[in-house]
Amino acid sequence: MGYERSRREPEWARSCRVAGRHDEVDLPTFQVGGWYDIFAQGTLDNFTAMRRAGRSATLVMGPWSHANQQHVIGDVNFGFSANSAFMGMRGPLNGLQPDWFQRTIGDGEAPEPDTGKVQLFVMGVNQWREETEWPLSRAVDTDFHLRADGRLTPEPPPVAEQPEQFTYDPMDPVPTTGGALLLTDDFRPGPSTRGTWRRARTSWSSPPNRSPRMSR
């Protein structure tokens, strides 16, 4: 989709989007994304929308960026099993895809009903996990509140607590140090203290976890 044409013809641009129209797509889908991919949320949204529409949907989420499906992403080595060539010894990603095509298309015969599979890479423990859904129904939503002095707590602040303040100036932004971006490996996952970082930045931190916790 041409960017300039989408600006000139917004109706045409809307006609090219699948968002909100997943029930019109009567086909199985195979979504591949990475936790550090700028399009990660769109991948997850497409998967959940297709499942809600009753379609067969398969999801693979690795610890990858948009352009890097290896096991070293920026400063972090997730282990060989994270590499798309191994997938935790499940076979290469480019081998899973032809298998999926064979199951869904086959030799022209009607394929067997298949709701699809979910393969998630859990960072930290650095292991692949096979699930049947996303989001996980066993997950528990936990609210955290931004507090004074940079605290992040499950408890809400009292009324008398003073607010944190910061200056927002789009003409003087804090330099990007990495994350879910569509840039080169110069901008990559890593500690927030790396590179040029402003003392005036505002951040909040929770107390250390006393037990393992998986967040999404």
Side-chain angles (χ1 to χ4, degrees), residues 121-214:
F121 189 86
V122 182
M123 298 184 292
V125 295
N126 295 345
Q127 294 177 352
W128 286 95
R129 180 174 295 176
E130 295 185 0
E131 301 285 352
T132 59
E133 60 183 354
W134 180 267
L136 304 179
S137 58
R138 63 179 182 274
V140 178
D141 290 334
T142 303
D143 293 328
F144 280 84
H145 301 268
L146 306 181
R147 303 288 302 277
D149 302 323
R151 290 177 294 144
L152 185 67
T153 68
E155 301 80 24
V159 176
E161 185 170 295
Q162 293 298 311
E164 286 281 337
Q165 297 181 349
F166 65 93
T167 300
Y168 170 69
D169 184 357
M171 300 305 294
D172 187 26
V174 175
T176 296
T177 60
L181 304 171
L182 187 59
L183 296 171
T184 67
D185 283 345
D186 294 332
F187 304 90
R188 58 195 191 276
S192 61
T193 55
R194 185 190 59 225
T196 305
W197 197 247
R198 304 285 176 78
R199 293 187 62 187
R201 68 187 172 92
T202 301
S203 62
W204 291 266
S205 300
S206 67
N209 290 326
R210 298 184 181 276
S211 59
R213 175 181 295 177
M214 186 175 73

Side-chain angles (χ1 to χ4, degrees), residues 15-35:
S15 72
C16 296
R17 298 192 185 104
V18 71
R21 302 167 55 195
H22 291 84
D23 58 341
E24 301 176 27
V25 183
D26 191 12
L27 292 169
T29 56
F30 189 110
Q31 282 94 8
V32 179
W35 298 121

Side-chain angles (χ1 to χ4, degrees), residues 29-47:
T29 56
F30 189 110
Q31 282 94 8
V32 179
W35 298 121
Y36 288 109
D37 187 350
I38 193 173
F39 303 113
Q41 190 59 56
T43 301
L44 297 172
D45 290 345
N46 281 327
F47 171 79

Side-chain angles (χ1 to χ4, degrees), residues 55-107:
R55 308 292 190 259
S56 171
T58 292
L59 173 67
V60 176
M61 288 294 292
W64 310 313
S65 65
H66 186 69
N68 184 353
Q69 294 182 336
Q70 306 300 310
H71 59 283
V72 178
I73 306 295
D75 296 340
V76 185
N77 187 332
F78 291 103
F80 279 112
S81 67
N83 196 303
S84 64
F86 301 102
M87 299 285 294
M89 299 306 173
R90 291 168 173 79
L93 177 62
N94 60 12
L96 299 178
Q97 292 165 322
D99 290 343
W100 177 83
F101 277 112
Q102 184 63 35
R103 290 197 312 273
T104 56
I105 300 176
D107 298 321

